[in-house]
Amino acid sequence: MNINCTHLYLTCRSGFDWLSRLAKRGEQFDIVILDPPSTSVGKKKKRWSVKSDMAELVSLAAPLVKNDGLLFTTTNSATLRTDRFASMCKKGLSDAGVMGKLERVSPMPYDYVSIGPQPVKNLVWKISRD
């Protein structure tokens, strides 16, 4: 896969605000990476949790992925099982009216030291609108 980096956005801001802004502009990308914190408190004191809000985040990001593009979803929530995380991502894709096939479950990097079950879940979704 060749990646053209002339059209690249990297943001560490509120994903909800930024994804909405990109959608309003009609932006689309070959790859979108969602790597939110497990929990967070936003500027408006709104509490965010991957366990309850990931589907909404995926539903905002999915329309930004070009047809046949990839949506990377990841979490380091140690208490969230991979199958539950995948279900939340599928719900977000469905809510966005986008078809996504789980293309790959990537393991944690070998240099990410952990004891017990691996907390990091990396799911790669192939997006199609056909």
Side-chain angles (χ1 to χ4, degrees):
M1 172 186 288
N2 293 327
I3 299 174
N4 180 350
C5 292
T6 59
H7 190 82
L8 175 71
Y9 285 95
L10 175 64
T11 182
C12 296
R13 297 182 179 105
S14 167
F16 290 94
D17 294 341
W18 196 246
L19 293 172
S20 296
R21 186 178 307 162
L22 292 170
K24 285 180 187 174
R25 295 191 327 214
E27 300 277 359
Q28 284 199 316
F29 304 92
D30 296 317
I31 300 170
V32 173
I33 301 169
L34 295 179
D35 184 13
S38 296
T39 61
S40 179
V41 177
K43 290 180 184 177
K44 298 176 184 175
K45 304 293 183 204
K46 181 180 186 261
R47 185 133 182 89
W48 189 89
S49 170
V50 71
K51 292 180 182 178
S52 59
D53 300 312
M54 189 65 184
E56 182 182 0
L57 190 61
V58 169
S59 72
L60 290 171
L64 300 176
V65 182
K66 290 180 180 177
N67 192 43
D68 290 330
L70 299 174
L71 176 64
F72 283 69
T73 56
T74 186
T75 184
N76 66 350
S77 175
T79 59
L80 182 59
R81 294 188 338 256
T82 303
D83 61 332
R84 175 71 179 126
F85 182 59
S87 293
M88 292 186 312
C89 293
K90 283 182 191 177
K91 180 181 182 331
L93 291 167
S94 176
D95 290 350
V98 172
M99 294 188 41
K101 176 185 172 210
L102 184 57
E103 185 83 1
R104 182 178 316 134
V105 178
S106 298
M108 288 185 352
Y110 71 91
D111 60 346
Y112 190 105
V113 180
S114 72
I115 297 172
Q118 296 184 349
V120 177
K121 291 92 178 159
N122 300 301
L123 307 180
V124 182
W125 304 88
K126 179 86 167 195
I127 301 302
S128 90
R129 292 182 174 77
D130 299 335

